[in-house]
Amino acid sequence: KLQFLYLIEASHCEGEHPQDDTQTMWRDFSPLLAIRSPADVWATEPSYLVGEILFHMLFVCGFYSACKGGPVAAAAFAAALCGGAAIELATIMYSEVGNFYHGQAVLQLFGQHEPVYMLFGCYAWLSYVPMRLVSTTAKNLSPMAEAALGGLLLSWLWGTLDMLGLGYIWWTWHHGDPLYNARDTAGVPIASSFWIFSNGVCTVWLLRVARDAGLFSSTLKAVVWGAAAGLFGGLVLMNVPFVLIFHPVEHFKLPTAYSVYILTGVCLLIVAAALAANWPRVRFGVFLPGPAAQLVMYIATLAAIVAYFDPADVRRHTFGQPLGSAAICALPPAERPQENFLFDLFHRPTYLCPADATPAFDHFQPCPNATLPDAPLAWSEHYTLCGVAKSAAWYSHVWMSLAVTLAAGCFTACLAVDAQDEDKAKTD
């Protein structure tokens, strides 16, 4: 196996038992599938169980929609699944990144690192629906207008889920990772939000270009080209908005959130200009009732979770960023063990010290009467974190995001633009 030596600067302090610093490039994929009792999940993380069931249902609905919707729908589903799986597995399983950690759902893949619902529900369905909607509603607009509309809807769908998932600690990011230090007001890393936005814009644009080029002449060709668009858009082309917007914002030391605002503003202007130029041909109706109904079910279930479950009741027991020992966490942050990542370009704290977390942004805290271990934990060792009570501002932010996402989804699902020749637009 290819070996990678973590460079831990201070982990060999006298009396410490550091984590084995010889790691494989990829985390252990065994067992391929692990099953946790639903009763156990319900007892400590009931909102997580509801979310998992929701996304399994949405995957089935989305897969059925893609199978019945013809080559264009099949291409969108293949792009969503392949592009999302590639970036997700790299973020979770590749130790040079390894900065994102899931809770333990009922169905877990790849050494219990990856929930099934995340791959097939979140990444497949959540990206498929915007791609599917705009492929019909915006197919007679320019490729850039279709891409902008798809990117906007995807960013709002994901942004709402990110706020809620982080608030109920369905997932966490590596604490102290410099790539994720800049957070929005709900605690979601801005780099993560910008990535999903740019990924959506680029992938939708590629799908449109492939469709206009006649590459979706059969379902098989559509799946192949859709998968290629998802991989290239999510791993390569999405870097273009980063180079044009995100990195210049950071270079000039502007607030990182400006990057998302700028991309949102540009996309809104493109969509507004396209609709204004084609307004005589714009009409409204429910053209894709299946995906539209799925979107409403998604928003309604998330709203029910927020209304019914208290984030402070969450007891999350899983592995993630290795838990530091009492001695390590007693050190000043600058003296704690560090590890290099992304091929030695960056470094970050190796161990998590829960008391350092900011509840308003990290959304977890040490559990009552919890004590740190005598020796730091390894990657595969589980520990428990507790949820925190949320402020009125957090609830207001989430409810507003749910409302905006629902409105944007309904607008996109009910929009159509007739073809230039004024023939009745064909809908899939």
Side-chain angles (χ1 to χ4, degrees):
K1 292 183 178 180
L2 208 59
Q3 298 293 314
F4 173 68
L5 181 65
Y6 277 107
L7 303 178
I8 301 178
E9 297 174 357
S11 62
H12 296 280
C13 301
E14 184 175 354
E16 291 300 323
H17 302 281
Q19 174 188 2
D20 180 13
D21 57 357
T22 301
Q23 303 283 347
T24 59
M25 291 286 277
W26 292 91
R27 306 214 191 285
D28 189 2
F29 280 75
S30 179
L32 291 178
L33 175 65
I35 301 176
R36 182 184 177 192
S37 166
D40 289 344
V41 183
W42 180 259
T44 58
E45 302 161 89
S47 65
Y48 198 33
L49 182 62
V50 174
E52 182 179 10
I53 293 171
L54 167 68
F55 281 107
H56 286 312
M57 294 172 61
L58 290 173
F59 169 75
V60 172
C61 294
F63 183 73
Y64 177 80
S65 170
C67 291
K68 301 292 285 186
V72 173
F77 196 86
L81 179 59
C82 293
I87 195 67
E88 169 74 358
L89 294 181
T91 304
I92 296 292
M93 303 301 296
Y94 190 49
S95 63
E96 286 282 4
V97 182
N99 54 14
F100 189 53
Y101 312 102
H102 289 287
Q104 293 296 302
V106 174
L107 300 177
Q108 293 281 133
L109 296 172
F110 311 138
Q112 297 180 288
H113 290 283
E114 180 66 22
V116 172
Y117 85 86
M118 177 59 66
L119 273 184
F120 298 102
C122 290
Y123 279 103
W125 179 84
L126 205 56
S127 297
Y128 164 73
V129 165
M131 295 175 187
R132 178 69 180 117
L133 288 175
V134 299
S135 71
T136 293
T137 62
K139 66 181 181 180
N140 292 317
L141 297 177
S142 69
M144 282 306 302
E146 182 175 330
L149 184 58
L152 285 166
L153 183 55
L154 179 59
S155 71
W156 287 324
L157 285 168
W158 259 109
T160 301
L161 180 64
D162 257 343
M163 277 191 288
L164 192 144
L166 179 61
Y168 287 89
I169 49 178
W170 295 357
W171 49 73
T172 59
W173 283 271
H174 194 103
H175 194 258
D177 190 313
L179 301 182
Y180 288 149
N181 279 343
R183 306 285 185 105
D184 65 18
T185 54
V188 177
I190 294 170
S192 177
S193 301
F194 191 89
W195 169 78
I196 199 66
F197 199 161
S198 60
N199 171 51
V201 170
C202 294
T203 302
V204 171
W205 182 80
L206 286 171
L207 288 171
R208 171 63 181 272
V209 170
R211 187 172 77 244
D212 288 350
L215 299 179
F216 299 163
S217 57
S218 70
T219 299
L220 179 59
K221 289 182 179 179
V223 168
V224 172
W225 283 108
L231 291 170
F232 189 75
L235 298 175
V236 180
L237 194 60
M238 65 89 183
N239 287 289
V240 173
F242 271 91
V243 172
L244 295 178
I245 300 175
F246 188 87
H247 295 310
V249 166
E250 288 204 321
H251 176 75
F252 289 106
K253 302 187 184 305
L254 299 171
T256 309
Y258 282 14
S259 60
V260 177
Y261 302 156
I262 292 171
L263 186 55
T264 301
V266 169
C267 288
L268 286 172
L269 285 174
I270 291 173
V271 172
L275 291 178
N278 295 278
W279 191 253
R281 298 185 290 113
V282 172
R283 54 194 180 89
F284 293 91
V286 181
F287 302 105
L288 285 173
Q294 295 164 33
L295 191 148
V296 171
M297 181 172 70
Y298 167 76
I299 295 296
T301 306
L302 294 190
I305 288 173
V306 175
Y308 185 77
F309 297 108
D310 186 352
D313 294 336
V314 174
R315 299 294 181 269
R316 178 183 190 262
H317 187 72
T318 184
F319 51 76
Q321 181 178 355
L323 187 64
S325 66
I328 285 178
C329 292
L331 295 171
E335 298 178 15
R336 293 174 188 165
Q338 301 278 311
E339 65 184 21
N340 289 3
F341 69 106
L342 279 183
F343 309 102
D344 296 345
L345 293 176
F346 302 95
H347 65 273
R348 63 192 179 193
T350 303
Y351 299 108
L352 172 67
C353 295
D356 292 343
T358 304
F361 290 96
D362 298 299
H363 298 281
F364 64 78
Q365 61 186 350
C367 293
N369 303 317
T371 59
L372 292 171
D374 293 330
L377 300 187
W379 282 102
S380 59
E381 294 184 274
H382 290 214
Y383 55 90
T384 302
L385 294 174
C386 286
V388 298
K390 299 298 185 286
S391 65
W394 183 85
Y395 280 105
S396 297
H397 198 163
V398 171
W399 286 116
M400 183 178 297
S401 181
L402 286 166
V404 169
T405 303
L406 179 61
C410 291
F411 174 81
T412 306
C414 296
L415 170 73
V417 180
D418 287 333
Q420 295 266 2
D421 58 7
E422 297 185 354
D423 290 335
K424 186 177 179 180
K426 294 180 181 180
T427 56
D428 295 327

